[in-house]
Structure formats: structure tokens, C-alpha cells
Amino acid sequence: MQNEQTLKNYEHYLNLITAEIEKMFEAQKEYICCKNGCSLCCEQGMYPFSEIEFEYIKQGFVDLPENIQQIVKSNCQKLANKVGNGDFLYECPFLIDGSCSVYKYRGLICRTFGLISENASGKLTIPYCAEEGLNYSKVYDKNTHRILEGSVKYEGYSTLPKAYNLSRYNLMFGIVKSLNFDWGESRLLIEWLVEYFDIDTSCEVNSVQN
Ligand code: SF4
Ligand code: SF4
């Protein structure tokens, strides 16, 4: 359990990291077509969250109207059996009618959806939505999983796409250096939520089988 001051320190860090991520989006704006109502990035992920990220998103949850809280809880109950059955790609339980119900409180990974990521050894991760005709799709080859420099020129883009180191480690410790809080352990979002809501996963598995 994190105390109020720790969460304030985390909020300060979030302001700094979010500003850095916004600069990345600004630099890539030619390739980005995110808009309200587009939510593919929240529909098929694993969503790792550290303890402090989860404590923070819980603040967003408790501020929701009761009927929305019930929807989130019911989403979690349905998801518990999916994950219990080994399916770790799922729609985020906070996604309601195509929008994040806790947007201000979303996790680190959520803030990077849509950018190209590169890990320390240079391996690229192209956003899922490039396959769906969205970000970077005009310069991305689905078959070879590569960015096509020829298409950049052909499409008239002024710069080549850039990849950023958006690994969790870099987001947590690399981009913003001085932190006044501990991240705590990391788990998948649904694992935190199952514990928080005290969901009986064995009952959920039975209900699927029936
Ligand atoms: S917390 Fe919000 S932004 Fe993050 S995956 Fe869930 S719905 Fe999407
Ligand atoms: S990252 Fe992709 S799926 Fe998500 S809002 Fe942007 S365009 Fe849509």
C-alpha cells in the first residue's frame, strides 16, 4: 500500500515522463493518426503494471460512478477465466464504449501506445495498429515487418520514422532519472485486479464450462 506522499511523488514523475512521451508523439506526428474512439491498442494486450501504477489507477477507479465501477468489475470477472485458461491477450477492463474510463490514471505502457519502440539491442516493435491501416501503416510492410524507406519518400513524409527505447526499464529508470518512490513488484493488470476485487477464479472457470 502506497501512502499519499508517495503517490504525489509518482504524479510528479508522471508529469515529467508524459512530457517526454508527448515530445516523441510530436516528432512523429506525420505518422500518427490516434483519435478519440480508436481503441485497438487497448483491446489486445497484457498491460504490465507495477504496484505504484496500480495504486494510482485504483484512485481513478474509486472516483468512477458506481455503475461504471460495476462494469469494470464485471469485465474483470469475465477476463479472469480467459487468463485462467492461458489467454494473456485481452481487452483492458477499463475500456468502456471505446474509451479509457481512467485515462488520467492510465499506466506507463498506455502512454506509449502508437509509437515504434526499440529495445537496447535494436529490436523494433511496431505498434499493433500499423497492421490495421493506422499509425505508420503507409510505410510499414506487413509481410517483412519492416519500415520501407522507399515508401517514406513516395508518400512525401519529411522525416524517416524514429524508434524510441520504450522498454519498461527505460520508462521506469532511464528517461526520468531521480525518483522519490519505489515501483514495487510488477504484475499483469488483470492479476492485480483479480486480487483487488477478490475474484474467485475457480468459480469463473466453472461458469465458462457450463
Ligand atoms: S488503462 Fe486505459 S489506456 Fe490503458 S489499456 Fe486500459 S483502457 Fe487502455
Ligand atoms: S495507438 Fe493505434 S489503435 Fe491506439 S488510438 Fe492510436 S491509432 Fe488507434
Side-chain angles (χ1 to χ4, degrees), residues 42 47 49 57 92 94-95 100 102 106-107 110 113:
C42 308
Y47 318 113
F49 268 61
I57 208 168
C92 177
F94 290 109
L95 185 69
C100 177
V102 284
R106 69 201 186 285
C110 314
F113 289 154

Side-chain angles (χ1 to χ4, degrees), residues 179-196:
L179 308 177
N180 309 331
F181 59 86
D182 287 327
W183 290 97
E185 70 169 303
S186 283
R187 299 185 196 169
L188 299 185
L189 179 58
I190 189 61
E191 293 174 329
W192 287 116
L193 288 165
V194 161
E195 181 179 280
Y196 177 57

Side-chain angles (χ1 to χ4, degrees), residues 68-116:
I68 304 293
Q69 287 188 2
Q70 285 308 324
I71 295 173
V72 172
K73 197 169 173 187
S74 155
N75 289 344
C76 289
Q77 278 165 333
K78 288 177 203 147
L79 271 177
N81 31 7
K82 231 171 120 63
V83 175
N85 289 334
D87 182 354
F88 286 100
L89 290 180
Y90 53 89
E91 182 170 313
C92 177
F94 290 109
L95 185 69
I96 297 181
D97 294 335
S99 293
C100 177
S101 54
V102 284
Y103 188 75
K104 176 187 160 194
Y105 301 89
R106 69 201 186 285
L108 285 185
I109 191 169
C110 314
R111 291 164 202 261
T112 68
F113 289 154
L115 290 167
I116 300 177

